[in-house]
Amino acid sequence: MKSSVLAVAAAVLLSGPVLADDHDWEFRLGVTAHDLSDHVEDGPNITVGLVGPEIEAFSLIWTPRPYLYGSFNTNSLTNFGGAGLEWDFPLSENISFQPAFGLSYNDGVRDIDRNAPPNDPNRIRLATTRSLMGEHILFHTTFALNLEVSENVTVAAYYEHISHGQILGSGRNQALDNAGIRFGYRWGGGRY
Protein backbone atom coordinates (compact mmCIF):
# COMPACT_ATOMS: atom_id res chain seq x y z
CA MET A 1 0.00 0.00 0.00
CA LYS A 2 2.75 2.46 0.95
CA SER A 3 4.62 1.81 -2.31
CA SER A 4 1.38 2.32 -4.30
CA VAL A 5 0.78 5.71 -2.67
CA LEU A 6 4.38 6.78 -3.39
CA ALA A 7 4.16 5.58 -7.00
CA VAL A 8 0.96 7.56 -7.61
CA ALA A 9 2.45 10.66 -5.98
CA ALA A 10 5.61 10.43 -8.09
CA ALA A 11 3.59 9.95 -11.30
CA VAL A 12 1.44 12.99 -10.55
CA LEU A 13 4.43 15.23 -9.75
CA LEU A 14 6.41 14.08 -12.78
CA SER A 15 3.45 14.53 -15.13
CA GLY A 16 2.85 18.09 -13.90
CA PRO A 17 5.01 19.88 -16.49
CA VAL A 18 3.24 18.01 -19.31
CA LEU A 19 -0.18 18.96 -17.96
CA ALA A 20 0.50 22.64 -17.23
CA ASP A 21 3.87 24.03 -18.23
CA ASP A 22 3.17 27.69 -17.42
CA HIS A 23 2.96 27.46 -13.61
CA ASP A 24 5.52 27.31 -10.85
CA TRP A 25 7.07 24.62 -8.76
CA GLU A 26 7.45 25.50 -5.09
CA PHE A 27 9.83 24.20 -2.43
CA ARG A 28 8.68 24.76 1.18
CA LEU A 29 10.45 24.66 4.52
CA GLY A 30 8.67 25.22 7.82
CA VAL A 31 8.16 24.46 11.48
CA THR A 32 5.02 23.35 13.30
CA ALA A 33 3.88 22.99 16.88
CA HIS A 34 3.24 19.25 17.25
CA ASP A 35 0.17 17.45 18.66
CA LEU A 36 -1.90 20.48 19.60
CA SER A 37 -5.16 18.69 20.44
CA ASP A 38 -3.92 16.10 22.97
CA HIS A 39 -0.41 17.48 23.54
CA VAL A 40 0.88 14.05 24.54
CA GLU A 41 3.85 14.28 22.15
CA ASP A 42 6.22 17.22 22.51
CA GLY A 43 8.71 19.01 20.34
CA PRO A 44 8.30 21.03 17.17
CA ASN A 45 8.31 19.40 13.75
CA ILE A 46 10.53 20.48 10.87
CA THR A 47 8.59 20.31 7.60
CA VAL A 48 9.60 20.13 3.94
CA GLY A 49 7.40 20.11 0.89
CA LEU A 50 7.35 20.24 -2.87
CA VAL A 51 4.33 21.50 -4.79
CA GLY A 52 4.04 20.94 -8.52
CA PRO A 53 2.31 22.89 -11.29
CA GLU A 54 -1.47 23.03 -11.60
CA ILE A 55 -2.95 19.94 -13.23
CA GLU A 56 -5.09 21.32 -16.05
CA ALA A 57 -6.67 17.89 -16.57
CA PHE A 58 -8.32 18.33 -13.14
CA SER A 59 -9.98 21.66 -14.02
CA LEU A 60 -13.39 20.23 -13.05
CA ILE A 61 -12.19 20.28 -9.42
CA TRP A 62 -10.68 23.80 -9.55
CA THR A 63 -7.28 22.84 -11.01
CA PRO A 64 -5.31 21.61 -7.98
CA ARG A 65 -1.55 21.30 -7.63
CA PRO A 66 0.06 18.00 -6.50
CA TYR A 67 2.19 18.04 -3.36
CA LEU A 68 4.69 15.88 -1.49
CA TYR A 69 5.23 16.63 2.19
CA GLY A 70 7.32 15.47 5.13
CA SER A 71 7.06 16.37 8.84
CA PHE A 72 9.86 15.31 11.18
CA ASN A 73 9.55 15.51 14.97
CA THR A 74 12.59 16.98 16.75
CA ASN A 75 12.06 14.68 19.77
CA SER A 76 12.05 11.48 17.66
CA LEU A 77 8.34 10.93 18.14
CA THR A 78 5.76 10.62 15.33
CA ASN A 79 7.03 11.60 11.87
CA PHE A 80 4.90 11.49 8.74
CA GLY A 81 4.98 12.12 5.03
CA GLY A 82 2.18 12.60 2.57
CA ALA A 83 1.06 13.30 -0.96
CA GLY A 84 -2.10 14.83 -2.32
CA LEU A 85 -3.70 17.82 -3.99
CA GLU A 86 -3.66 21.49 -2.99
CA TRP A 87 -5.85 24.33 -4.22
CA ASP A 88 -5.08 28.05 -4.35
CA PHE A 89 -8.03 30.45 -3.93
CA PRO A 90 -6.98 34.14 -4.16
CA LEU A 91 -8.38 36.44 -1.47
CA SER A 92 -6.49 39.54 -2.65
CA GLU A 93 -3.59 40.35 -4.95
CA ASN A 94 -0.97 38.74 -2.66
CA ILE A 95 -3.00 36.63 -0.21
CA SER A 96 -4.62 33.28 -0.90
CA PHE A 97 -6.37 30.47 0.95
CA GLN A 98 -4.79 27.07 0.29
CA PRO A 99 -6.69 23.95 1.38
CA ALA A 100 -5.07 20.58 0.69
CA PHE A 101 -6.12 16.97 1.01
CA GLY A 102 -4.17 13.73 0.61
CA LEU A 103 -2.87 10.57 2.22
CA SER A 104 -0.02 10.27 4.69
CA TYR A 105 2.12 7.54 6.20
CA ASN A 106 3.30 7.87 9.82
CA ASP A 107 5.81 5.93 11.90
CA GLY A 108 3.86 6.48 15.13
CA VAL A 109 2.37 4.03 17.60
CA ARG A 110 -0.86 2.44 16.34
CA ASP A 111 -2.22 1.37 19.74
CA ILE A 112 -1.28 0.03 23.14
CA ASP A 113 -1.40 -3.69 23.91
CA ARG A 114 -4.91 -4.06 25.29
CA ASN A 115 -4.00 -7.48 26.73
CA ALA A 116 -1.21 -6.05 28.86
CA PRO A 117 -2.10 -5.50 32.53
CA PRO A 118 -3.07 -1.91 33.45
CA ASN A 119 0.12 -1.46 35.48
CA ASP A 120 2.44 -2.64 32.66
CA PRO A 121 5.21 0.03 32.41
CA ASN A 122 5.33 -0.08 28.60
CA ARG A 123 1.55 0.33 28.33
CA ILE A 124 1.63 3.29 30.75
CA ARG A 125 4.58 4.90 28.92
CA LEU A 126 2.91 4.64 25.51
CA ALA A 127 -0.48 5.85 26.77
CA THR A 128 1.04 8.93 28.43
CA THR A 129 3.78 9.92 25.97
CA ARG A 130 2.58 8.94 22.48
CA SER A 131 -0.41 9.74 20.28
CA LEU A 132 -2.04 6.43 19.40
CA MET A 133 -2.65 6.80 15.68
CA GLY A 134 -4.80 3.72 14.99
CA GLU A 135 -3.25 3.17 11.55
CA HIS A 136 -0.06 4.04 9.70
CA ILE A 137 -1.87 5.32 6.58
CA LEU A 138 -4.06 8.33 7.37
CA PHE A 139 -5.77 11.23 5.65
CA HIS A 140 -3.78 14.50 5.58
CA THR A 141 -5.78 17.76 5.57
CA THR A 142 -4.23 21.24 5.55
CA PHE A 143 -5.61 24.78 5.62
CA ALA A 144 -3.16 27.63 4.91
CA LEU A 145 -3.26 31.39 4.60
CA ASN A 146 -0.52 32.21 2.09
CA LEU A 147 1.20 35.57 1.52
CA GLU A 148 3.13 36.11 -1.71
CA VAL A 149 6.04 38.27 -0.54
CA SER A 150 7.61 38.51 -4.00
CA GLU A 151 7.42 36.74 -7.33
CA ASN A 152 9.46 33.85 -5.92
CA VAL A 153 8.97 33.96 -2.12
CA THR A 154 5.91 33.01 -0.08
CA VAL A 155 5.16 32.71 3.62
CA ALA A 156 2.14 30.94 5.07
CA ALA A 157 0.53 30.16 8.39
CA TYR A 158 -1.11 26.74 8.33
CA TYR A 159 -2.94 24.07 10.28
CA GLU A 160 -2.81 20.36 9.47
CA HIS A 161 -4.64 17.28 10.69
CA ILE A 162 -3.81 13.61 10.11
CA SER A 163 -6.44 11.03 11.00
CA HIS A 164 -8.13 7.92 9.63
CA GLY A 165 -11.61 9.30 10.33
CA GLN A 166 -12.96 5.76 10.91
CA ILE A 167 -12.71 5.33 7.10
CA LEU A 168 -9.12 4.11 6.62
CA GLY A 169 -9.30 2.25 9.93
CA SER A 170 -11.52 1.66 12.92
CA GLY A 171 -11.10 1.99 16.65
CA ARG A 172 -8.21 4.06 18.01
CA ASN A 173 -7.96 7.46 16.28
CA GLN A 174 -6.16 10.03 18.42
CA ALA A 175 -4.73 11.67 15.27
CA LEU A 176 -2.38 14.67 15.22
CA ASP A 177 -3.07 18.37 14.89
CA ASN A 178 -0.15 20.65 14.04
CA ALA A 179 0.04 24.36 13.28
CA GLY A 180 2.94 26.41 12.07
CA ILE A 181 4.61 28.65 9.55
CA ARG A 182 6.29 27.79 6.28
CA PHE A 183 8.40 29.62 3.75
CA GLY A 184 8.23 28.84 0.05
CA TYR A 185 10.46 29.43 -2.94
CA ARG A 186 8.87 29.29 -6.41
CA TRP A 187 10.65 28.80 -9.69
CA GLY A 188 9.78 28.31 -13.34
CA GLY A 189 6.99 29.79 -15.39
CA GLY A 190 6.50 33.10 -13.59
CA ARG A 191 3.72 34.30 -11.34
CA TYR A 192 0.19 32.92 -11.31
Side-chain angles (χ1 to χ4, degrees), residues 25-175:
W25 287 83
E26 186 172 351
F27 173 76
R28 294 176 177 163
L29 182 64
V31 63
T32 62
H34 181 73
D35 195 19
L36 296 176
S37 60
D38 293 327
H39 203 65
V40 178
E41 296 190 358
D42 290 322
N45 279 27
I46 304 300
T47 65
V48 294
L50 179 64
V51 183
E54 289 183 337
I55 304 171
E56 294 296 336
F58 291 175
S59 62
L60 288 176
I61 56 170
W62 305 288
T63 319
R65 300 169 69 193
Y67 74 84
L68 288 177
Y69 180 78
S71 184
F72 307 95
N73 186 262
T74 57
N75 283 348
S76 300
L77 298 172
T78 302
N79 306 294
F80 62 94
L85 298 174
E86 175 183 283
W87 290 263
D88 193 20
F89 298 108
L91 301 177
S92 71
E93 184 178 342
N94 295 336
I95 298 174
S96 62
F97 173 62
Q98 295 177 325
F101 182 76
L103 291 176
S104 67
Y105 177 84
N106 72 83
D107 64 1
V109 176
R110 289 179 65 189
D111 205 345
I112 56 176
D113 181 359
R114 295 179 188 260
N115 296 322
N119 62 349
D120 176 60
N122 191 49
R123 178 182 176 142
I124 293 169
R125 180 186 61 80
L126 290 176
T128 58
T129 63
R130 299 299 301 266
S131 288
L132 306 175
M133 306 304 293
E135 298 293 335
H136 289 298
I137 295 178
L138 303 172
F139 293 116
H140 179 238
T141 307
T142 304
F143 300 101
L145 194 57
N146 188 66
L147 172 64
E148 190 175 292
V149 177
S150 71
E151 186 171 325
N152 299 101
V153 178
T154 63
V155 63
Y158 70 106
Y159 161 83
E160 66 185 348
H161 177 77
I162 63 169
S163 166
H164 64 63
Q166 304 298 331
I167 297 170
L168 295 176
S170 61
R172 187 70 73 174
N173 187 26
Q174 287 184 336

